[in-house]
Amino acid sequence: MTNDLLKKGANLEQKVIIVADDLTGANDTGVQFVKTGLKASVLFQPSVDDIDRYKEEDVLIVDTDSRSMSSEKAYNEVSQVVQPFLQENSHLFFKKIDSTLRGNIGIELQALMDIGRFDAAVIAPAYPDAKRSTAYGIHYVEGMPVHLSEAAKDPKTPVLTSSISDLIDEQTNVRPRNLSQQAVNAELNETSDEVSSLLKHGHQWFVCDAETNNDLTQIVELFMKMDQRVLWVGSAGLASALSAYVAKNRSASRSKKHEPVLIVSGSASKKTNEQFAYLREKHECLEVKVNPLNVLNGREAWERKSILDQLLTRQDEDILLYTDARPEIVEKMLAYGKAKGLTRQEVGSTLSVCLGMITKDIVELTGVKRLFLTGGDTAHAICHELGAGGIRLLKEIEPGIPLGQLVDTKLYAVTKAGAYGQKDSVLHAVEVLKNIEGEDECQNQSLL
């Protein structure tokens, strides 16, 4: 087993797709994810465009309205409406079933297993908060076998057995294996490998006992550790346990991965170029190159606009902003400066000021709050353009490479002299910036 979530299965950064057979079930299951801070929407007529249309949503719930359909129609309806979401193998799929076992439970499960390339179906309809539980594969409502409850008298889909495996077998000719809570606990505690062994031998459908919310939590924890693509099957109880796991792990992942960094270089040193080469090898970022000739010949505004146009649709990425320092460009740049009566220092100062303005443009466009600045003149110009009254030093991430917060702003910055540091210093700085938790972890000094 591995803690790397479902290597060939769901990615917690992708969407959760819930397939429900009626609207109230769609809502009561989806709201479990909302309670943990995730965004969810119920769709009536899903299409392949919904992935992009609802790109800000964490959870999409599809209502098939198929609970009282014939078996054949329910199978076809589920197969058809879920098809658009199967283009992404890494979505996490949840089949919502009624907590009193009404409807085409087995048929709809079969439809998803047939087209979804799942390795396992984890079936746990228990909903302890509503007094629905499963013990030894028998489902209970308020302590009564479900086939003796009001569900047995349902006018459309009466429930005639309390054995979940029997019910599914009758509809599909597939008989799930029952997993007791003891078996789940034993595998979690690594005192048994019963579940792993069953999976290795081709068993795919598992009915799980659960009488408490903690039981459902343990079922989620166990199967999340398996190297399997899982179809989760249950009611709001299992959805609640799964949503807590998804929200917790997605939050931890995003806090580490989703703070973009703007890397700005005004240095042409060999050391910095080597560090950037290593960064490119190990880390993906969007490279934005400034043409110094445009800056010097009066086309600065055009250059700034051109750079912003490149970033309009790529605002969540790490950005490497630097001046084109190829020898032929540098030669032309110095010749142009000389013709205009500018010294090398004045040419360099003009470029630094422009990099400062472009950095401000990018900060305002993207909202990036993490900066890596190399080259003293460039760093100073950037701080000036951003309106910083100084740098509050927080800590030293490597010898001679400090992390600070720009005074009067919410921006963090690592500064580095051009010809300084190790091969991986820029990469290390980017990793530090992406994972800043807050100021409390750092020292409280000021450089004014």
Side-chain angles (χ1 to χ4, degrees):
M1 291 190 290
T2 174
N3 287 317
D4 182 15
L5 174 67
L6 300 176
K7 290 189 297 184
K8 61 179 178 179
N11 175 354
L12 289 186
E13 292 304 310
Q14 295 291 84
K15 295 187 186 301
V16 178
I17 307 298
I18 299 174
V19 183
D21 64 357
D22 83 330
L23 181 56
T24 57
N27 289 340
D28 71 38
T29 302
V31 79
Q32 305 305 317
F33 291 84
V34 174
K35 290 189 321 189
T36 63
L38 301 177
K39 298 178 182 179
S41 291
V42 177
L43 311 181
F44 295 135
Q45 295 181 321
S47 71
V48 70
D49 295 332
D50 286 331
I51 295 295
D52 291 328
R53 186 181 304 153
Y54 293 92
K55 63 182 179 181
E56 298 300 322
E57 302 296 281
D58 302 293
V59 183
L60 296 180
I61 308 106
V62 180
D63 172 25
T64 60
D65 195 27
S66 54
R67 178 170 296 177
S68 58
M69 289 181 182
S70 68
S71 297
E72 182 179 359
K73 190 173 181 180
Y75 182 98
N76 292 335
E77 181 70 17
V78 169
S79 300
Q80 179 179 347
V81 300
V82 80
Q83 194 68 45
F85 306 106
L86 293 173
Q87 307 304 315
E88 277 286 348
N89 290 339
S90 54
H91 289 318
L92 189 154
F93 281 83
F94 186 99
K95 177 65 184 82
K96 196 280 178 185
I97 61 175
D98 179 49
S99 62
T100 61
L101 306 186
R102 293 173 299 165
N104 295 292
I105 290 176
I107 291 296
E108 296 186 11
L109 170 55
Q110 181 75 70
L112 288 170
M113 292 296 286
D114 285 348
I115 67 172
R117 300 181 298 278
F118 296 102
D119 300 307
V122 177
I123 306 159
Y127 190 6
D129 289 348
K131 299 182 180 179
R132 284 90 192 264
S133 60
T134 305
Y136 301 102
I138 303 299
H139 199 58
Y140 296 86
V141 175
E142 297 184 340
M144 179 184 302
V146 66
H147 78 283
L148 301 178
S149 72
E150 186 177 359
K153 302 175 183 178
D154 186 88
K156 293 184 178 180
T157 57
V159 179
L160 305 179
T161 178
S162 296
S163 168
I164 300 172
S165 292
D166 284 352
L167 185 152
I168 292 174
D169 190 10
E170 289 171 6
Q171 294 184 11
T172 65
N173 292 321
V174 177
R175 187 166 189 84
R177 294 294 295 258
N178 188 68
L179 292 181
S180 67
Q181 195 55 40
Q182 290 78 10
V184 172
N185 286 334
E187 184 115 6
L188 270 177
N189 295 324
E190 298 183 351
T191 59
S192 168
D193 64 353
E194 177 184 348
V195 181
S196 300
S197 179
L198 288 170
L199 285 165
K200 288 178 182 178
H201 287 85
H203 294 284
Q204 292 185 296
W205 298 32
F206 299 91
V207 169
C208 301
D209 288 352
E211 299 181 66
T212 68
N213 288 325
N214 187 59
D215 291 344
L216 292 168
T217 297
Q218 291 185 332
I219 291 168
V220 170
E221 290 177 351
L222 174 60
F223 280 92
M224 278 294 187
K225 291 181 178 180
M226 300 289 185
D227 181 19
Q228 302 291 327
R229 179 164 165 76
V230 174
L231 172 62
W232 301 92
V233 184
S235 63
L238 182 62
S240 179
L242 186 62
S243 65
Y245 187 98
V246 169
K248 176 182 177 181
N249 286 274
R250 182 175 293 191
S251 175
S253 176
R254 285 181 174 177
S255 69
K256 294 177 181 178
K257 295 167 58 179
H258 283 249
E259 283 295 341
V261 177
L262 172 58
I263 306 149
V264 188
S265 174
S267 171
S269 75
K270 180 179 179 181
K271 176 69 71 174
T272 293
N273 288 335
E274 290 173 351
Q275 292 165 343
F276 283 163
Y278 186 78
L279 175 71
R280 293 183 182 99
E281 178 185 340
K282 300 294 183 179
H283 185 79
E284 183 176 346
C285 55
L286 173 62
E287 294 195 35
V288 178
K289 184 161 53 178
V290 178
N291 186 336
L293 299 178
N294 286 334
V295 175
L296 294 172
N297 67 14
R299 301 189 68 199
E300 177 186 304
W302 183 91
E303 186 72 12
R304 290 170 63 182
K305 182 180 184 302
S306 175
I307 287 170
L308 292 184
D309 287 345
Q310 296 178 52
L311 303 177
L312 287 176
T313 59
R314 305 182 66 172
Q315 297 182 26
D316 293 326
E317 299 181 47
D318 294 337
I319 300 168
L320 172 57
L321 174 69
Y322 62 99
T323 303
D324 189 345
R326 290 174 294 170
E328 61 271 25
I329 297 295
V330 172
E331 184 179 345
K332 291 180 181 179
M333 177 180 67
L334 294 176
Y336 186 89
K338 185 176 180 180
K340 293 291 185 179
L342 301 176
T343 66
R344 293 177 68 101
Q345 289 75 18
E346 288 172 327
V347 169
S349 177
T350 300
L351 294 177
S352 293
V353 170
C354 184
L355 278 176
M357 291 189 291
I358 293 172
T359 298
K360 182 181 179 182
D361 292 339
I362 294 173
V363 168
E364 291 177 346
L365 174 68
T366 67
V368 64
K369 295 181 175 62
R370 309 287 194 263
L371 308 176
F372 174 84
L373 312 176
T374 181
D377 291 340
T378 299
H380 188 276
I382 289 171
C383 290
H384 175 74
E385 290 294 331
L386 292 172
I391 301 176
R392 188 156 66 87
L393 295 176
L394 301 174
K395 67 179 182 180
E396 187 178 55
I397 66 170
E398 286 185 14
I401 303 180
L403 164 69
Q405 184 175 26
L406 304 192
V407 176
D408 302 324
T409 79
K410 296 181 180 180
L411 304 173
Y412 290 94
V414 170
T415 57
K416 183 189 79 70
Y420 200 80
Q422 306 302 314
K423 181 175 70 172
D424 64 347
S425 290
V426 176
L427 177 62
H428 179 217
V430 170
E431 292 171 344
V432 169
L433 286 164
K434 293 178 80 67
N435 289 284
I436 292 173
E437 295 292 339
E439 303 170 21
D440 293 341
E441 68 178 66
C442 305
Q443 297 179 18
N444 185 10
Q445 305 178 40
S446 292
L447 174 64
L448 299 174

